[in-house]
């Protein structure tokens, strides 16, 4: 792996812990103005100091992220489907590699949809993106997306999808946590980051997700709605960091969350759920 590739990865996956807390704010590319992400800048700004990296689209990056930030960017470069369409699996690469370079990103990301009618095109998209990434020293994050078929999130399916992503050259993979997640980790020779997924019922559920993912071998989380849809988003990301980087238990994370609520957490304005 070239020096530039290693350097970019080390900005995302912190050498001090070998772990990463990524902040996912790319939901609008298929979901539109998601609850509490209607005005991206207002959501992102208070959370930036606590994120090891943020995952977003070029539109949100250009309009809603301060260019003076030192937080590395993982740029979502795939799209082409929406929640109101027939399927979420019909994606293509929508952002050029030249634009990713102009934006000085630390990595690029796209979704693959293994086992769907669009499996072939999304896997080809990944292979082509990896080729470009190797040319320019920019890592590629493959996202093992399941579209609207959430029941696919079991270890057999995710193990297959993650291994295929790694075999095609992805430098790290974002996937879901599942029962027997350790098997998924064992079968994937590149680092795994766990998605936060839809908003969970309680903060404790999110802490348990992060804790169990790290305990079973994930190197980090890419969490969005379970952070910024919380009434106390800064406290949430603070507690998640304690789990991911400091090995905190679920109970210790809950204590960190309660303490952070008292001291530094701005409560985002309530908006109607869409």
């Amino acid at each position: 792996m070239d020096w530039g590739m290693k350097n970019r990865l080390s900005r995302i996956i912190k050498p001090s812990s070998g772990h990463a807390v990524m902040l996912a704010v790319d939901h609008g590319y298929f979901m539109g103005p998601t609850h509490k992400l209607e005005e991206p800048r207002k959501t992102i700004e208070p959370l930036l100091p606590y994120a090891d990296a943020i995952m977003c689209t070029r539109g949100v990056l250009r309009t809603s992220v301060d260019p003076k930030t030192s937080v590395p960017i993982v740029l979502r470069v795939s799209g082409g489907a929406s929640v109101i369409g027939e399927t979420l699996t019909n994606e293509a690469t929508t952002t050029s590699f030249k634009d990713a370079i102009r934006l000085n990103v630390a990595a690029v990301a796209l979704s693959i949809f293994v086992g769907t009618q669009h499996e072939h095109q999304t896997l080809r998209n990944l292979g082509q993106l990896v080729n470009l990434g190797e040319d320019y020293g920019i890592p590629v994050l493959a996202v093992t997306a399941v579209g609207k078929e959430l029941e696919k999130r079991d270890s057999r399916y995710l193990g297959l999808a993650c291994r295929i992503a790694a075999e095609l050259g992805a430098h790290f993979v974002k996937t879901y946590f599942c029962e027997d997640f350790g098997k998924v980790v064992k079968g994937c020779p590149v680092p795994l980051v766990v998605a936060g997924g839809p908003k969970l019922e309680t903060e404790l559920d999110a802490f348990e997700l992060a804790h169990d993912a790290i305990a079973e071998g994930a190197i980090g989380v890419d969490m969005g709605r379970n952070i910024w849809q919380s009434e106390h988003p800064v406290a949430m990301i603070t507690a998640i960091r304690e789990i991911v980087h400091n090995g905190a238990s679920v109970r210790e994370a809950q204590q960190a969350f309660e303490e952070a609520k008292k001291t530094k957490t701005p409560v985002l304005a309530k908006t109607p759920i869409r």
Side-chain angles (χ1 to χ4, degrees):
M1 189 181 290
D2 187 65
W3 188 94
M5 187 84 73
K6 291 178 181 177
N7 177 263
R8 288 183 175 92
L9 278 173
S10 73
R11 294 177 60 207
I12 300 166
I13 304 169
K14 300 305 178 187
S16 58
S17 66
H19 292 155
V21 175
M22 292 171 54
L23 180 69
V25 290
D26 59 331
H27 302 64
Y29 92 94
F30 70 99
M31 294 177 67
T34 311
H35 175 51
K36 290 198 176 180
L37 196 58
E38 294 91 346
E39 297 177 82
R41 181 178 290 270
K42 289 184 178 180
T43 300
I44 294 168
E45 279 188 349
L47 295 170
L48 264 181
Y50 306 94
D52 295 322
I54 63 169
M55 185 163 164
C56 62
T57 61
R58 61 179 169 183
V60 162
L61 182 58
R62 284 191 164 111
T63 61
S64 307
V65 179
D66 188 338
K68 296 188 290 293
T69 185
S70 61
V71 177
I73 304 300
V74 178
L75 187 70
R76 159 71 67 177
V77 298
S78 66
S82 78
V83 289
I84 63 171
E86 182 180 351
T87 178
L88 290 172
T89 68
N90 192 11
E91 282 199 353
T93 303
T94 55
T95 302
S96 72
F97 222 87
K98 285 184 179 180
D99 217 12
I101 293 168
R102 287 188 197 101
L103 292 167
N104 195 34
V105 302
V108 293
L110 91 170
S111 294
I112 58 172
F113 292 89
V114 173
T116 73
Q117 62 179 319
H118 300 110
E119 172 185 85
H120 177 70
Q121 75 183 48
T122 59
L123 292 178
R124 283 193 63 195
N125 291 342
L126 173 58
Q128 291 165 356
L129 198 65
V130 169
N131 291 341
L132 290 168
E134 294 293 338
D135 284 343
Y136 297 105
I138 297 178
V140 174
L141 171 66
V143 182
T144 61
V146 295
K148 299 176 183 179
E149 301 176 67
L150 299 182
E151 70 278 359
K152 280 187 174 181
R153 295 189 296 187
D154 62 28
S155 62
R156 185 176 180 184
Y157 172 80
L158 295 176
L160 170 69
C162 290
R163 180 57 175 264
I164 289 172
E167 294 273 355
L168 290 176
H171 302 94
F172 58 137
V173 175
K174 174 180 172 180
T175 194
Y176 292 98
F177 186 72
C178 61
E179 188 176 348
D180 293 327
F181 183 71
K183 292 182 179 179
V184 181
V185 174
K186 186 176 181 180
C188 183
V190 300
L192 289 179
V193 174
V194 166
K199 179 71 167 66
L200 297 170
E201 191 170 335
T202 68
E203 288 85 6
L204 194 65
D205 292 331
F207 300 152
E208 288 175 346
L209 169 65
H211 178 271
D212 292 348
I214 298 299
E216 293 199 41
I219 60 91
V221 296
D222 186 25
M223 199 167 277
R225 286 168 284 184
N226 282 293
I227 290 174
W228 40 258
Q229 285 184 345
S230 168
E231 290 300 312
H232 301 278
V234 170
M236 276 299 297
I237 197 169
T238 299
I240 294 295
R241 288 190 67 82
E242 286 297 312
I243 294 170
V244 173
H245 286 298
N246 298 325
S249 66
V250 172
R251 181 178 179 181
E252 289 168 337
Q254 184 71 37
Q255 291 171 342
F257 173 72
E258 295 299 332
E259 193 62 32
K261 279 168 59 177
K262 300 174 186 175
T263 57
K264 59 188 176 185
T265 307
V267 179
L268 296 182
K270 291 184 177 180
T271 51
I273 296 178
R274 300 191 177 202

